[in-house]
Amino acid sequence: MKALYISGQDKKSKIKQRILLRYIKKKQKECICIVVGKELKRDIELIEKIEKIGIPISDGRWLFKFLVIQILEYISSCQKVDIKELKVALVTNENSELISYYIDELTKKSNKIKIITNHREKFHIIEEKLYYNKGIVLEISNNKRKGLQDVDVIFNFNFEEEILNKYKIDDNAILINLKEKINVNSKRFSGINIHSYEIDFESRLMNILDWTKDFEKAEIYESYLYRNDKIETIEEDIKKDQVIIKNLIGSNGKIKEKEYRNILDKTYYLA
């Protein structure tokens, strides 16, 4: 068993809760994650008890970081501009396989990619590789005053709120927090601060099975995809399954398409 799916609306029955918790403990060695239904999520006390068992609960965060390309495609579609026109910053203090993958893929689509990091030395090899093999100069910065100025889309991979807020974020930037929800303290910031998402993907079973309606699609797909594998293989599966961003979500809910257009430069907007 790879994932355990639990749902139900009878949250008041303590007997049913005890039976459910015993069942989860019994399946502890067989599953790698639990997917909780929308109704059951509202029972905070029960969720805390499930968490104590020690099986990860799917929340879409693991999957989120693999959807950078899809997010950019969605934003460029909403703004009606080509991805190559978007100035993109990857904010990270780790040069993981995933970061290296994105640097390689995004520099194929645009020459407006930059890295914001406090550990420039970790990017030395890929910086040289891009320059000598492709003639691409990768911009790397830790300048808190200018680093995130004049940037359209910011992917925050692992900066904590306190650290990120030391940087002057462009007033009209779109900030995507892949690890956790983060607040922007600047009163001048009038851009979009995103911390969650909704997806759609090709699955005949999802369309015909009624029980799946009680679960978030992102969490179901995450439980299906979740594994320790090569980044390229995971990304290939995402493409094969035709995963697309349906909505991006901020503190006040789903971001409407017109909000993406409202923060464009006038040159883009008038076009």
Side-chain angles (χ1 to χ4, degrees):
M1 180 183 290
K2 186 176 181 181
L4 181 62
Y5 302 88
I6 59 172
S7 65
Q9 298 180 4
D10 188 0
K11 304 184 289 297
K12 296 180 180 180
S13 172
K14 296 297 181 184
I15 295 175
K16 286 187 177 181
Q17 285 189 10
R18 287 198 294 270
I19 293 171
L20 176 61
L21 291 169
R22 282 202 299 268
Y23 178 76
I24 294 172
K25 288 179 181 178
K26 185 179 178 182
K27 298 294 181 181
Q28 190 171 5
K29 294 181 180 179
E30 299 177 35
C31 65
I32 60 172
C33 69
I34 297 174
V35 187
V36 181
K38 299 172 189 175
E39 285 289 333
L40 209 57
K41 280 182 182 178
R42 297 177 186 176
D43 191 336
I44 305 301
E45 183 182 349
L46 177 60
I47 296 301
E48 288 176 350
K49 290 177 181 177
I50 293 173
E51 287 176 340
K52 287 180 181 178
I53 294 174
I55 305 171
I57 296 177
S58 176
D59 61 2
R61 282 287 161 191
W62 180 87
L63 175 62
F64 203 10
K65 63 180 179 288
F66 291 101
L67 298 175
V68 166
I69 303 296
Q70 287 74 18
I71 293 168
L72 278 177
E73 288 172 346
Y74 177 78
I75 292 172
S76 68
S77 174
C78 290
Q79 294 189 329
K80 299 187 183 338
V81 298
D82 197 294
I83 287 179
K84 67 182 180 182
E85 298 298 328
L86 295 173
K87 299 170 186 174
V88 179
L90 307 183
V91 179
T92 175
N93 274 330
E94 295 295 330
N95 185 16
S96 63
E97 286 184 40
L98 184 64
I99 298 295
S100 293
Y101 171 85
Y102 280 136
I103 292 172
D104 193 51
E105 288 298 309
L106 292 175
T107 50
K108 293 175 186 176
K109 299 175 183 293
S110 173
N111 60 358
K112 299 179 180 179
I113 309 299
K114 69 189 307 185
I115 306 296
I116 302 298
T117 183
N118 292 316
H119 296 282
R120 184 188 182 102
E121 72 280 359
K122 294 182 179 181
F123 296 87
H124 180 68
I125 293 175
I126 194 166
E127 184 182 17
E128 285 197 335
K129 181 181 173 183
L130 284 172
Y131 180 74
Y132 288 110
N133 294 349
K134 300 180 181 180
I136 296 173
V137 177
L138 181 64
E139 185 177 355
I140 304 174
S141 173
N142 67 347
N143 190 308
K144 294 178 175 58
R145 189 168 62 87
K146 296 181 179 180
L148 289 175
Q149 284 292 290
D150 198 29
V151 173
D152 299 311
V153 184
I154 303 166
F155 287 97
N156 177 23
F157 281 85
N158 50 38
F159 271 28
E160 295 179 357
E161 186 172 304
E162 182 183 356
I163 302 300
L164 185 66
N165 275 292
K166 291 180 179 180
Y167 287 77
K168 187 176 181 182
I169 300 171
D170 192 278
D171 296 343
N172 294 319
I174 299 172
L175 172 64
I176 299 105
N177 296 297
L178 300 172
K179 183 180 178 182
E180 59 190 2
K181 181 179 177 180
I182 280 179
N183 296 311
V184 178
N185 296 336
S186 172
K187 293 180 180 179
R188 289 176 54 91
F189 183 73
S190 55
I192 299 174
N193 186 11
I194 292 162
H195 60 79
S196 190
Y197 64 102
E198 291 179 346
I199 62 167
D200 214 343
F201 57 93
E202 277 299 312
S203 171
R204 188 175 66 85
L205 283 175
M206 284 286 290
N207 296 329
I208 64 175
L209 294 176
D210 274 345
W211 67 266
T212 61
K213 295 176 182 177
D214 189 41
F215 298 90
E216 297 290 351
K217 277 193 171 183
E219 293 170 7
I220 288 180
Y221 189 74
E222 179 178 76
S223 71
Y224 158 75
L225 196 69
Y226 187 74
R227 64 186 189 270
N228 185 15
D229 203 345
K230 291 182 179 179
I231 306 302
E232 290 80 5
T233 305
I234 292 173
E235 293 289 349
E236 282 172 12
D237 282 351
I238 290 172
K239 291 175 184 176
K240 180 187 69 179
D241 295 328
Q242 300 179 48
V243 177
I244 60 169
I245 299 296
K246 188 177 178 182
N247 284 295
L248 292 172
I249 300 169
S251 298
N252 297 319
K254 298 174 186 177
I255 311 296
K256 296 179 181 178
E257 285 193 20
K258 66 177 182 180
E259 294 184 55
Y260 298 101
R261 293 192 290 272
N262 287 344
I263 62 172
L264 287 171
D265 292 338
K266 290 182 179 179
T267 51
Y268 291 152
Y269 190 71
L270 293 173

